[in-house]
Amino acid sequence: MLKRFTVSMEEDLLDDFDRFIQDRHYKNRSEALRDLIRGRSIEKEWQADKDVMGVISLVYDHHQHKLQEKVTNLQHGFHSQIVSTTHVHMDHHNCLEVIIVHGKAGEVRGLADSLTAMRGVRNASLSMSSTGKDLH
Ligand code: NI
């Protein structure tokens, strides 16, 4: 059930908020505020080492000695946390891997950190999301 409430804030802060809403193509302030609060809930789930979902993406050079093998071996070590992996051959050298993960926040972050630190991995990121159970 939706409940209404009134928010007071400084004009400058509201201007900032309205620019944010415009930049992100929100239809109205309510939807933007709901998403900001959901974002905060997701942060809290990750901090509390809850059961979470996320997406790890990495770009690496498959010519780097044994890197492909190391990336695959590491993922086998986390088979319980990996939902799926998609591999894209971007060009002659570069591969993009997108890994959907589900597990304890600490485990998932551990996998992302290990992949990021591998020599030859050019870019890696972890997008933190939620299982949705506690997300209203
Ligand atoms: Ni490839």
Side-chain angles (χ1 to χ4, degrees):
M1 184 182 123
L2 286 177
K3 288 204 173 182
R4 283 176 180 276
F5 68 102
T6 308
V7 178
S8 309
M9 69 174 78
E10 287 78 8
E11 204 176 345
D12 289 352
L13 198 58
L14 184 58
D15 287 346
D16 276 357
F17 188 45
D18 284 339
R19 268 194 297 275
F20 168 82
I21 287 166
Q22 210 171 14
D23 290 348
R24 303 290 180 95
H25 304 287
Y26 280 109
K27 295 265 189 294
N28 55 57
R29 288 172 177 160
S30 293
E31 189 53 39
L33 189 60
R34 285 194 287 267
D35 271 4
L36 287 174
I37 294 168
R38 286 185 196 113
R40 181 72 195 109
S41 299
I42 290 171
E43 269 176 39
K44 275 167 66 185
E45 285 182 21
W46 279 75
Q47 280 165 10
D49 199 25
K50 291 267 174 68
D51 195 36
V52 295
M53 291 197 78
V55 179
I56 300 168
S57 70
L58 60 151
V59 174
Y60 63 92
D61 183 349
H62 75 102
H63 288 128
Q64 174 86 33
H65 185 60
K66 294 209 166 172
L67 181 56
Q68 177 102 58
E69 195 182 321
K70 285 181 196 161
V71 167
T72 303
N73 282 345
L74 183 63
Q75 289 187 60
H76 277 276
F78 283 85
H79 64 89
S80 302
Q81 288 81 24
I82 295 177
V83 179
S84 84
T85 301
T86 298
H87 185 106
V88 178
H89 309 301
M90 295 164 75
D91 56 31
H92 190 64
H93 289 279
N94 296 303
C95 302
L96 167 71
E97 238 165 73
V98 180
I99 307 165
I100 299 177
V101 286
H102 180 188
K104 290 268 175 210
E107 295 167 347
V108 166
R109 200 192 292 275
L111 171 61
D113 288 345
S114 299
L115 288 166
T116 304
M118 277 185 181
R119 192 189 162 152
V121 172
R122 292 179 168 159
N123 174 250
S125 69
L126 168 62
S127 170
M128 298 175 197
S129 195
S130 164
T131 61
K133 275 194 299 240
D134 301 316
L135 216 55
H136 306 285

